[in-house]
Amino acid sequence: MAKGEPKVAYFCMEYGLESDFKIYSGGLGVLAGDHMKTAADQDRDLVGIGILWKQGYNEQVFREGYRPYNAYPNEKMNYDFLEDTGVKVTVEIREREVTAKVWKVTEFGNADLYLLDTDLEENFGADSWITDRLYGGFDEHRIAQEMVLSIGGVRALRKLDIEADVYHFNDSHPVFAGVELLREKMKDEDMFFEDAMEEVQEDVVFTTHTPVKAGNEVHSHKLLRYMGAYQHLNIEQMVAIGDAPFSMTAAGLRFARNANSVASLHEQTANEMWDHVDGAAPIVGITNGVHRGTWTDERITSALEEGDHEEIWSKHQEIKGELIDFIAERNGVELDNDKLLVGFARRAAPYKRSDLIFSDPDVIDEYLNSGKIQLVFAGKAHPLDDTGKEIVANLLEMAEKYPESVVFLRDYDMEIGALLTRGCDVWLNNPRRPKEASGTSGMKAAMNGVLNVSILDGWWPEACRHGENGWAIGTDPKTADDFEGDYDERIEKLDEYDLENLYDVMLNDVVPTYYDNQDKWIDMMIESHNDTFEKFSADRMLKDYYELVYSPEESK
Ligand SMILES: *Cc1c(COP(=O)(O)O)cnc(C)c1O
């Protein structure tokens, strides 16, 4: 551990440490899990605070008529690796004392992670259910969960005798920890609000994750006060922190002395998006990275480093074969190892346009009917997102329409994520720019020599050398604002523009290179690996966090 380095307490709603440890839903959790593992690899003085989700995240159930619905396991999941710290904390929620037990997890080569759990005898009725489902509730339920994470988390640190120098709010769910830090100073040290705020700001850093409006939570003050999230603060003070209605992201930016976004393009987008928040911390860009021990396959990465074409292809085919076997077992569909396999796994959110490639059957039909292009999809919709579920329904319909070349794997999780990002030939991403904040699955793919074919959004503009280490969908990328008309018209034109570019690159570059120029393809795999293995590792990312936000030279 470097001398003089600050001790960091990292707060996050979800952690993806291991596929079957279901306290994560997707990108945010996987990033947090990678952060924790890398902190351990680098021997950093960092602990994590999270929640032990009783029923995890929703499972995907399909029924006739296609629309998937959510299901949750009935039983509390049993994890034998949880260590009992013996510590319990209480948080006053809806004027009731809610108790949370604190567990510790060190099982996955991660820095110490403390998880709060309200599923206890002493909590009655609704209170024991607070930590039931990740993102499974809204309003009261969500706020109660966030209060346990935030307020309970700070109190857990105190009881565990962990003295943090830096409180890192990873996304806005933990911002009530800032209110708790204020309460300590105002109540215990008799400070005035403004002075206490200044002191709190010296210790807080904040990461903003999503340029999508719905991803940025807002709550009514009435509800926050009723829940007890105000603690001892009054409405003027809470409005000063988070505006009215209360914006969780604005609050994070005001509590923090330093803030960051998760890619360079996102730095620009985030600074524009939050420009109106007075007193906000400056937002610097720290591009996400992935934990190589978790996400890369030694067999292919060493072959790519050696550079022998035959060896690379044989390893790649072997790993691709394992994915194809997995798909056969799960879905009963036998894909062809010698045909192009394109992967697409992401949360089914409208801006991600998972089904874009199917938009014009006149163009794409022949490729899918012949199997010249094979597609494998995975991804859940947010439990409350009906449009997202319609997208999944459409993907299932496409899998029926092209039964030999299109598959949808249900219950996207870390296991499927790992199999896909090493076993496909191509990793496809076609979000509406600039809505993709970062997109770490593409980094996993790139390191394993799986070539990215992506809109220049999120992390990809920082890595893409078009035609050399992957491909851009449209080398002159556009946003809806580049088109004329009302909102719907502009979106429609953008979708048309991106679709044209998608077909162009897929059919005129990707397919011919794959089938007719394998040497070039393998060269591109090597370039893809070389350009990303260091640069988009969590190793590099964590060093950036220490340099730019945990102990930076400049702050607010
Ligand atoms: C890597 C990963 C993600 C994040 O990938 P994005 O590119 O941001 O969508 C989400 N879910 C799982 C299971 C992953 O492994």
Short mmCIF file of all heavy atoms in Angstrom, two decimals, residues 131-159:
data_model
loop_
_atom_site.label_atom_id
_atom_site.label_comp_id
_atom_site.label_asym_id
_atom_site.label_seq_id
_atom_site.Cartn_x
_atom_site.Cartn_y
_atom_site.Cartn_z
N THR A 131 -34.43 -4.90 1.89
CA THR A 131 -33.32 -5.37 1.05
C THR A 131 -33.72 -6.63 0.26
O THR A 131 -32.97 -7.58 0.17
CB THR A 131 -32.06 -5.63 1.89
OG1 THR A 131 -32.38 -6.57 2.93
CG2 THR A 131 -31.52 -4.36 2.50
N ASP A 132 -34.92 -6.62 -0.30
CA ASP A 132 -35.37 -7.83 -1.00
C ASP A 132 -34.88 -7.92 -2.44
O ASP A 132 -34.23 -8.89 -2.82
CB ASP A 132 -36.90 -7.97 -0.94
CG ASP A 132 -37.64 -6.77 -1.57
OD1 ASP A 132 -36.99 -5.77 -1.92
OD2 ASP A 132 -38.87 -6.85 -1.70
N ARG A 133 -35.19 -6.93 -3.26
CA ARG A 133 -34.91 -7.05 -4.68
C ARG A 133 -34.18 -5.83 -5.21
O ARG A 133 -34.65 -4.70 -5.05
CB ARG A 133 -36.22 -7.15 -5.47
CG ARG A 133 -37.04 -8.33 -5.09
CD ARG A 133 -38.42 -8.22 -5.69
NE ARG A 133 -39.15 -9.45 -5.38
CZ ARG A 133 -40.36 -9.73 -5.84
NH1 ARG A 133 -40.97 -8.87 -6.62
NH2 ARG A 133 -40.94 -10.86 -5.52
N LEU A 134 -33.11 -6.10 -5.90
CA LEU A 134 -32.35 -5.02 -6.52
C LEU A 134 -33.18 -4.36 -7.63
O LEU A 134 -33.61 -5.04 -8.56
CB LEU A 134 -31.06 -5.63 -7.09
CG LEU A 134 -30.13 -4.75 -7.90
CD1 LEU A 134 -29.69 -3.53 -7.12
CD2 LEU A 134 -28.92 -5.56 -8.36
N TYR A 135 -33.39 -3.07 -7.52
CA TYR A 135 -34.17 -2.28 -8.48
C TYR A 135 -35.61 -2.81 -8.66
O TYR A 135 -36.24 -2.55 -9.68
CB TYR A 135 -33.48 -2.20 -9.86
CG TYR A 135 -32.06 -1.72 -9.78
CD1 TYR A 135 -31.04 -2.39 -10.46
CD2 TYR A 135 -31.71 -0.62 -9.01
CE1 TYR A 135 -29.72 -1.97 -10.38
CE2 TYR A 135 -30.40 -0.19 -8.92
CZ TYR A 135 -29.41 -0.88 -9.60
OH TYR A 135 -28.11 -0.47 -9.53
N GLY A 136 -36.10 -3.53 -7.67
CA GLY A 136 -37.42 -4.13 -7.80
C GLY A 136 -38.53 -3.20 -7.36
O GLY A 136 -39.71 -3.51 -7.52
N GLY A 137 -38.21 -2.08 -6.77
CA GLY A 137 -39.27 -1.19 -6.29
C GLY A 137 -38.97 0.24 -6.68
O GLY A 137 -37.92 0.55 -7.22
N PHE A 138 -39.94 1.11 -6.41
CA PHE A 138 -39.68 2.52 -6.68
C PHE A 138 -40.22 3.34 -5.52
O PHE A 138 -40.78 2.81 -4.57
CB PHE A 138 -40.26 2.95 -8.03
CG PHE A 138 -41.69 2.58 -8.23
CD1 PHE A 138 -42.70 3.50 -8.01
CD2 PHE A 138 -42.02 1.29 -8.66
CE1 PHE A 138 -44.02 3.15 -8.20
CE2 PHE A 138 -43.36 0.94 -8.85
CZ PHE A 138 -44.36 1.87 -8.62
N ASP A 139 -40.03 4.65 -5.59
CA ASP A 139 -40.48 5.56 -4.55
C ASP A 139 -40.09 5.10 -3.14
O ASP A 139 -38.93 5.00 -2.84
CB ASP A 139 -41.98 5.81 -4.67
CG ASP A 139 -42.30 6.59 -5.94
OD1 ASP A 139 -41.36 7.12 -6.55
OD2 ASP A 139 -43.47 6.67 -6.32
N GLU A 140 -41.10 4.80 -2.30
CA GLU A 140 -40.79 4.48 -0.90
C GLU A 140 -39.78 3.36 -0.77
O GLU A 140 -38.84 3.42 0.02
CB GLU A 140 -42.08 4.04 -0.17
CG GLU A 140 -42.95 5.17 0.24
CD GLU A 140 -44.00 4.72 1.26
OE1 GLU A 140 -43.71 3.85 2.09
OE2 GLU A 140 -45.12 5.24 1.19
N HIS A 141 -40.02 2.32 -1.52
CA HIS A 141 -39.18 1.13 -1.40
C HIS A 141 -37.74 1.44 -1.79
O HIS A 141 -36.79 1.10 -1.10
CB HIS A 141 -39.77 0.04 -2.29
CG HIS A 141 -39.29 -1.34 -1.96
ND1 HIS A 141 -39.57 -1.95 -0.77
CD2 HIS A 141 -38.52 -2.21 -2.65
CE1 HIS A 141 -39.02 -3.15 -0.75
NE2 HIS A 141 -38.36 -3.34 -1.88
N ARG A 142 -37.60 2.12 -2.91
CA ARG A 142 -36.27 2.47 -3.40
C ARG A 142 -35.55 3.39 -2.41
O ARG A 142 -34.38 3.21 -2.09
CB ARG A 142 -36.39 3.14 -4.78
CG ARG A 142 -35.10 3.75 -5.32
CD ARG A 142 -34.05 2.71 -5.69
NE ARG A 142 -34.43 1.92 -6.84
CZ ARG A 142 -34.17 2.24 -8.11
NH1 ARG A 142 -33.50 3.33 -8.38
NH2 ARG A 142 -34.56 1.48 -9.09
N ILE A 143 -36.26 4.40 -1.92
CA ILE A 143 -35.64 5.34 -0.98
C ILE A 143 -35.21 4.61 0.29
O ILE A 143 -34.11 4.84 0.82
CB ILE A 143 -36.60 6.51 -0.66
CG1 ILE A 143 -36.82 7.36 -1.92
CG2 ILE A 143 -36.04 7.38 0.46
CD1 ILE A 143 -37.99 8.33 -1.81
N ALA A 144 -36.05 3.70 0.77
CA ALA A 144 -35.70 2.94 1.97
C ALA A 144 -34.41 2.13 1.72
O ALA A 144 -33.51 2.09 2.57
CB ALA A 144 -36.84 2.00 2.35
N GLN A 145 -34.31 1.53 0.55
CA GLN A 145 -33.10 0.77 0.22
C GLN A 145 -31.87 1.68 0.20
O GLN A 145 -30.81 1.34 0.71
CB GLN A 145 -33.27 0.11 -1.16
CG GLN A 145 -34.38 -0.94 -1.19
CD GLN A 145 -34.63 -1.51 -2.57
OE1 GLN A 145 -34.35 -0.87 -3.59
NE2 GLN A 145 -35.17 -2.73 -2.61
N GLU A 146 -32.06 2.84 -0.40
CA GLU A 146 -30.94 3.78 -0.49
C GLU A 146 -30.54 4.31 0.88
O GLU A 146 -29.36 4.57 1.14
CB GLU A 146 -31.30 4.91 -1.46
CG GLU A 146 -31.37 4.38 -2.89
CD GLU A 146 -32.00 5.34 -3.91
OE1 GLU A 146 -32.75 6.25 -3.50
OE2 GLU A 146 -31.75 5.16 -5.10
N MET A 147 -31.53 4.47 1.75
CA MET A 147 -31.19 4.94 3.11
C MET A 147 -30.40 3.87 3.88
O MET A 147 -29.48 4.19 4.63
CB MET A 147 -32.48 5.30 3.87
CG MET A 147 -33.13 6.58 3.35
SD MET A 147 -34.74 6.89 4.11
CE MET A 147 -34.23 7.28 5.80
N VAL A 148 -30.77 2.61 3.69
CA VAL A 148 -30.02 1.54 4.35
C VAL A 148 -28.58 1.53 3.84
O VAL A 148 -27.61 1.49 4.61
CB VAL A 148 -30.69 0.16 4.12
CG1 VAL A 148 -29.78 -0.97 4.57
CG2 VAL A 148 -32.03 0.10 4.85
N LEU A 149 -28.44 1.59 2.52
CA LEU A 149 -27.10 1.59 1.93
C LEU A 149 -26.27 2.76 2.44
O LEU A 149 -25.11 2.61 2.84
CB LEU A 149 -27.21 1.65 0.40
CG LEU A 149 -25.90 1.86 -0.37
CD1 LEU A 149 -25.03 0.61 -0.30
CD2 LEU A 149 -26.17 2.22 -1.84
N SER A 150 -26.88 3.95 2.41
CA SER A 150 -26.13 5.19 2.66
C SER A 150 -25.91 5.45 4.14
O SER A 150 -24.77 5.53 4.60
CB SER A 150 -26.90 6.39 2.12
OG SER A 150 -27.31 6.20 0.81
N ILE A 151 -27.03 5.59 4.84
CA ILE A 151 -26.95 5.96 6.25
C ILE A 151 -26.45 4.76 7.04
O ILE A 151 -25.53 4.86 7.86
CB ILE A 151 -28.34 6.42 6.75
CG1 ILE A 151 -28.80 7.62 5.90
CG2 ILE A 151 -28.29 6.78 8.23
CD1 ILE A 151 -30.27 7.95 6.03
N GLY A 152 -27.04 3.58 6.73
CA GLY A 152 -26.57 2.36 7.38
C GLY A 152 -25.11 2.10 7.09
O GLY A 152 -24.35 1.65 7.95
N GLY A 153 -24.70 2.41 5.87
CA GLY A 153 -23.31 2.17 5.46
C GLY A 153 -22.33 3.00 6.27
O GLY A 153 -21.30 2.49 6.75
N VAL A 154 -22.63 4.29 6.43
CA VAL A 154 -21.73 5.15 7.22
C VAL A 154 -21.68 4.66 8.67
O VAL A 154 -20.61 4.55 9.29
CB VAL A 154 -22.19 6.64 7.17
CG1 VAL A 154 -21.37 7.49 8.14
CG2 VAL A 154 -22.08 7.18 5.76
N ARG A 155 -22.85 4.29 9.21
CA ARG A 155 -22.89 3.82 10.61
C ARG A 155 -22.14 2.50 10.76
O ARG A 155 -21.51 2.24 11.79
CB ARG A 155 -24.34 3.70 11.07
CG ARG A 155 -24.96 5.09 11.17
CD ARG A 155 -26.39 5.09 11.64
NE ARG A 155 -26.88 6.48 11.56
CZ ARG A 155 -28.11 6.86 11.75
NH1 ARG A 155 -29.05 5.95 12.06
NH2 ARG A 155 -28.45 8.13 11.65
N ALA A 156 -22.20 1.67 9.72
CA ALA A 156 -21.45 0.40 9.77
C ALA A 156 -19.95 0.68 9.84
O ALA A 156 -19.22 0.06 10.62
CB ALA A 156 -21.79 -0.45 8.56
N LEU A 157 -19.50 1.63 9.04
CA LEU A 157 -18.08 1.98 9.07
C LEU A 157 -17.67 2.41 10.47
O LEU A 157 -16.61 2.02 10.98
CB LEU A 157 -17.78 3.11 8.08
CG LEU A 157 -17.86 2.75 6.59
CD1 LEU A 157 -17.76 4.03 5.74
CD2 LEU A 157 -16.74 1.78 6.20
N ARG A 158 -18.51 3.23 11.11
CA ARG A 158 -18.19 3.71 12.46
C ARG A 158 -18.08 2.54 13.43
O ARG A 158 -17.15 2.44 14.21
CB ARG A 158 -19.28 4.67 12.96
CG ARG A 158 -19.50 5.89 12.08
CD ARG A 158 -18.33 6.87 12.12
NE ARG A 158 -18.59 8.00 11.22
CZ ARG A 158 -18.08 8.12 9.98
NH1 ARG A 158 -17.27 7.19 9.50
NH2 ARG A 158 -18.37 9.17 9.23
N LYS A 159 -19.05 1.62 13.36
CA LYS A 159 -19.05 0.50 14.30
C LYS A 159 -17.93 -0.48 14.03
O LYS A 159 -17.47 -1.18 14.93
CB LYS A 159 -20.39 -0.23 14.23
CG LYS A 159 -21.45 0.38 15.10
CD LYS A 159 -22.42 -0.69 15.60
CE LYS A 159 -23.35 -0.12 16.65
NZ LYS A 159 -24.49 -1.00 16.91
#
